Amino acid sequence: SVLLLGETGTGKEVAARGIHQLSKRANHRMVSVNMAALNESLAAADLFGAMKGAYTGAQNARTGFFSFSEGSTLFLDEIGNTPNNIQPMLLRVLETGEYRPLGATRDNKSSARLITATDQDLYHSSFNHALVRRLESFIIRIPPLRARREDIGLLMIHLLRQNESGTINASHLPSSFIDDALNYDWPGNIRQLGNVFKRAILALQMGETPVLANMIETPKLQSVENAAQLRKIQSPQNIEEALAAASKIAASDTTPIERKKLRDLSETDVVNAMEKHAWTIQYAAEDLGISRPSMYKLI
């Protein structure tokens, strides 16, 4: 089993697919499950299956994800959001390779290879620690984009090729846009870079000059400003300018985020936040003052 650790948007599912495609299971389809999106009361049936009549409303037998992924790879994303009652069941599968569908009298044997991913700290939480130790047979830590800025240019070229229209090429991107992109912190990592880059290409197709500051929501824009302030610190005209720049960064990094209760948010609030942030769940959740798993539940 493999445990992928990294911030949201760093490409954990891409890494999982890469592992699967390079394995001996590549001729089978990888099964992907978002654990944060599972209904807590039906999670066991979703994962392990259920017999007819196993629970209220179970009018037919149900095939679970472990059965679907026989001989293949089962990718469990957002593993940190696994319901508490499911964690011991996953531990048993990893320890013995066996699981029991709801309502069944015999165990099934699983041959699925498990890859899990999370952006949470499983080691300092209420998550089942015995399960963590089973999941971490092989750990891959995926660094955030700001820690591998040398990749930003390569990713931009890759994204440009993916979105080629025949009339747009790299030479049409203004150097100011590229410079800002290389200096921006990209809190949403590769996913955010991809979304912004699509907007930049659209702007070029419309005959406009893309400006990074206009394509990033205000809370995220601070990193672009911080990059400019950092350049002042690194090559200041005088010590006063360096101190002022450092103070501005420190002040921007300590703005508290007000957390909200789910019952205080309406369906309209959710839809408006998603539309405002181009249907990016992480940013919409931050805008509403809730966690990403909570946003999944509201959706």
Side-chain angles (χ1 to χ4, degrees), residues 18-280:
I19 293 169
H20 173 71
Q21 288 166 6
L22 291 170
S23 75
K24 294 178 180 179
R25 303 165 182 259
N27 58 332
H28 294 86
R29 180 184 175 188
M30 184 179 89
V31 178
S32 298
V33 182
N34 188 323
M35 300 300 284
L38 289 182
N39 183 310
E40 189 167 344
S41 61
L42 295 175
D46 288 335
L47 289 169
F48 308 112
M51 305 302 291
K52 180 179 179 181
Y55 57 89
T56 303
Q59 298 179 356
N60 297 296
R62 186 170 184 175
T63 304
F65 291 121
F66 271 94
S67 180
F68 278 126
S69 55
E70 277 299 309
S72 186
T73 302
L74 177 59
F75 174 55
L76 302 181
D77 197 8
E78 308 283 3
I79 189 67
N81 295 110
T82 303
N84 291 333
N85 64 314
I86 300 299
Q87 293 176 26
M89 299 179 188
L90 283 178
L91 177 59
R92 182 167 183 261
V93 176
L94 286 166
E95 287 180 336
T96 66
E98 297 179 344
Y99 66 93
R100 181 170 295 187
L102 297 185
T105 57
R106 291 186 299 177
D107 290 341
N108 289 350
K109 194 78 175 176
S110 172
S111 64
R113 189 237 191 119
L114 207 62
I115 300 179
T116 56
T118 184
D119 58 0
Q120 299 180 27
D121 182 359
L122 300 180
Y123 299 92
H124 299 91
S125 67
S126 59
F127 194 84
N128 188 313
H129 285 196
L131 177 55
V132 175
R133 298 307 174 193
R134 284 289 180 178
L135 294 174
E136 63 175 7
S137 295
F138 193 85
I139 297 176
I140 299 177
R141 298 182 186 275
I142 304 179
L145 194 51
R146 62 183 174 277
R148 46 188 174 113
R149 294 186 184 276
E150 66 275 13
D151 287 351
I152 295 176
L154 296 172
L155 287 165
M156 290 173 73
I157 292 172
H158 172 71
L159 292 166
L160 191 64
R161 288 172 178 165
Q162 275 193 330
N163 295 277
E164 271 184 333
S165 63
T167 58
I168 302 298
N169 58 56
S171 66
H172 293 126
L173 284 170
S175 58
S176 58
F177 179 88
I178 296 172
D179 181 58
D180 286 342
L182 293 174
N183 285 290
Y184 183 50
D185 276 352
W186 298 108
N189 295 294
I190 300 172
R191 183 179 296 122
Q192 183 189 18
L193 174 65
N195 290 336
V196 169
F197 205 76
K198 287 176 184 176
R199 294 176 215 162
I201 292 174
L202 182 61
L204 289 172
Q205 290 172 338
M206 295 172 67
E208 300 172 359
T209 300
V211 178
L212 185 64
N214 297 338
M215 298 180 177
I216 299 169
E217 295 299 328
T218 305
K220 307 300 174 187
L221 179 58
Q222 194 63 49
S223 295
V224 176
E225 296 175 357
N226 285 356
Q229 297 299 325
L230 279 170
R231 287 195 286 270
K232 289 182 180 179
I233 295 174
Q234 293 161 359
S235 55
Q237 298 298 318
N238 53 62
I239 189 63
E240 288 81 8
E241 184 182 86
L243 288 172
S247 297
K248 186 171 182 181
I249 292 176
S252 69
D253 288 342
T254 56
T255 304
I257 298 175
E258 181 185 354
R259 310 305 290 181
K260 295 181 181 176
K261 295 180 180 178
L262 299 193
R263 65 172 178 267
D264 296 333
L265 297 170
S266 67
E267 180 178 324
T268 303
D269 292 331
V270 175
V271 174
N272 289 344
M274 291 293 283
E275 289 180 342
K276 177 181 176 183
H277 295 278
W279 301 92
T280 304

